[in-house]
Amino acid sequence: MVENVIWPAALDANCSRAEGRRVSLDLAVADPTVEEIAKAVQQVGYDAVVEREKRYPREFETRGRVIVQNADDAGKSDLLQAVAAYVGALRT
Protein backbone atom coordinates (compact mmCIF):
# COMPACT_ATOMS: atom_id res chain seq x y z
CA MET A 1 0.00 0.00 0.00
CA VAL A 2 1.44 3.32 -1.10
CA GLU A 3 0.84 6.43 0.98
CA ASN A 4 1.62 9.83 -0.47
CA VAL A 5 1.98 12.92 1.70
CA ILE A 6 0.66 16.26 0.48
CA TRP A 7 1.85 19.31 2.37
CA PRO A 8 -0.03 22.61 1.87
CA ALA A 9 3.26 24.21 0.79
CA ALA A 10 3.29 21.95 -2.28
CA LEU A 11 0.18 23.70 -3.62
CA ASP A 12 0.75 27.20 -2.20
CA ALA A 13 1.13 30.01 -4.74
CA ASN A 14 2.87 32.13 -2.09
CA CYS A 15 5.74 29.61 -1.84
CA SER A 16 8.60 29.38 -4.28
CA ARG A 17 9.94 26.10 -5.62
CA ALA A 18 12.78 26.34 -3.11
CA GLU A 19 10.25 26.74 -0.30
CA GLY A 20 8.44 23.55 -1.28
CA ARG A 21 5.94 24.32 -4.06
CA ARG A 22 5.61 21.27 -6.33
CA VAL A 23 3.06 22.48 -8.92
CA SER A 24 3.20 25.30 -11.46
CA LEU A 25 1.91 28.74 -10.56
CA ASP A 26 -1.00 28.20 -12.97
CA LEU A 27 -2.34 25.40 -10.73
CA ALA A 28 -1.18 26.72 -7.34
CA VAL A 29 -3.60 28.48 -4.98
CA ALA A 30 -2.93 30.98 -2.21
CA ASP A 31 -2.82 29.48 1.29
CA PRO A 32 -4.50 26.09 0.75
CA THR A 33 -5.86 24.40 3.88
CA VAL A 34 -5.64 20.71 4.73
CA GLU A 35 -9.45 20.53 4.62
CA GLU A 36 -9.49 21.80 1.02
CA ILE A 37 -6.74 19.39 0.06
CA ALA A 38 -8.56 16.45 1.71
CA LYS A 39 -11.79 17.31 -0.16
CA ALA A 40 -9.88 17.50 -3.43
CA VAL A 41 -8.18 14.15 -2.76
CA GLN A 42 -11.58 12.57 -2.18
CA GLN A 43 -12.89 14.16 -5.41
CA VAL A 44 -9.97 12.59 -7.27
CA GLY A 45 -11.02 9.23 -5.84
CA TYR A 46 -8.59 8.40 -3.04
CA ASP A 47 -8.86 8.18 0.74
CA ALA A 48 -7.46 11.11 2.72
CA VAL A 49 -6.26 11.29 6.32
CA VAL A 50 -5.70 14.77 7.77
CA GLU A 51 -2.93 15.27 10.33
CA ARG A 52 -3.27 18.82 11.66
CA GLU A 53 -0.40 18.74 14.18
CA LYS A 54 2.35 18.17 11.62
CA ARG A 55 4.69 20.90 10.40
CA TYR A 56 6.45 21.05 7.05
CA PRO A 57 10.20 21.14 7.75
CA ARG A 58 10.81 24.28 5.68
CA GLU A 59 8.08 26.32 7.42
CA PHE A 60 7.74 27.77 10.90
CA GLU A 61 3.96 27.54 11.24
CA THR A 62 2.02 24.32 11.72
CA ARG A 63 -0.40 23.83 8.82
CA GLY A 64 -0.75 20.05 8.89
CA ARG A 65 -0.54 17.52 6.09
CA VAL A 66 -2.76 15.12 4.16
CA ILE A 67 -1.93 11.44 3.78
CA VAL A 68 -3.30 9.96 0.55
CA GLN A 69 -3.99 6.25 0.90
CA ASN A 70 -4.47 3.60 -1.79
CA ALA A 71 -2.87 5.71 -4.53
CA ASP A 72 -1.00 2.78 -6.07
CA ASP A 73 -1.93 3.72 -9.63
CA ALA A 74 -0.94 7.41 -9.51
CA GLY A 75 2.46 9.08 -9.49
CA LYS A 76 3.20 11.86 -7.04
CA SER A 77 3.35 14.67 -9.61
CA ASP A 78 0.15 13.52 -11.36
CA LEU A 79 -1.62 13.32 -8.02
CA LEU A 80 -0.45 16.79 -7.00
CA GLN A 81 -1.58 18.33 -10.28
CA ALA A 82 -5.02 16.74 -10.06
CA VAL A 83 -5.47 17.79 -6.43
CA ALA A 84 -4.29 21.35 -7.20
CA ALA A 85 -6.80 21.59 -10.04
CA TYR A 86 -9.64 20.47 -7.75
CA VAL A 87 -8.61 22.88 -4.98
CA GLY A 88 -8.70 25.69 -7.54
CA ALA A 89 -12.14 24.53 -8.69
CA LEU A 90 -13.41 24.39 -5.10
CA ARG A 91 -12.50 28.03 -4.59
CA THR A 92 -14.42 29.32 -7.62
Side-chain angles (χ1 to χ4, degrees):
M1 179 166 84
V2 175
E3 291 184 344
N4 287 311
V5 177
I6 300 179
W7 298 96
L11 308 177
D12 196 346
N14 298 326
C15 291
S16 67
R17 290 278 186 171
E19 293 170 332
R21 184 172 44 86
R22 300 274 308 260
V23 296
S24 67
L25 278 175
D26 297 341
L27 292 174
V29 294
D31 296 320
T33 64
V34 288
E35 289 82 15
E36 290 175 326
I37 295 171
K39 273 187 188 178
V41 167
Q42 291 170 351
Q43 289 290 325
V44 173
Y46 300 111
D47 297 327
V49 177
V50 176
E51 295 181 341
R52 288 180 179 80
E53 72 281 353
K54 299 296 183 179
R55 183 181 63 85
Y56 186 59
R58 295 181 186 173
E59 293 182 331
F60 294 110
E61 62 188 52
T62 302
R63 295 202 289 178
R65 68 180 181 183
V66 177
I67 306 286
V68 181
Q69 297 177 334
N70 302 326
D72 298 331
D73 58 344
K76 178 83 174 214
S77 63
D78 295 336
L79 180 65
L80 284 172
Q81 289 177 3
V83 169
Y86 272 103
V87 170
L90 285 172
R91 289 199 173 179
T92 58

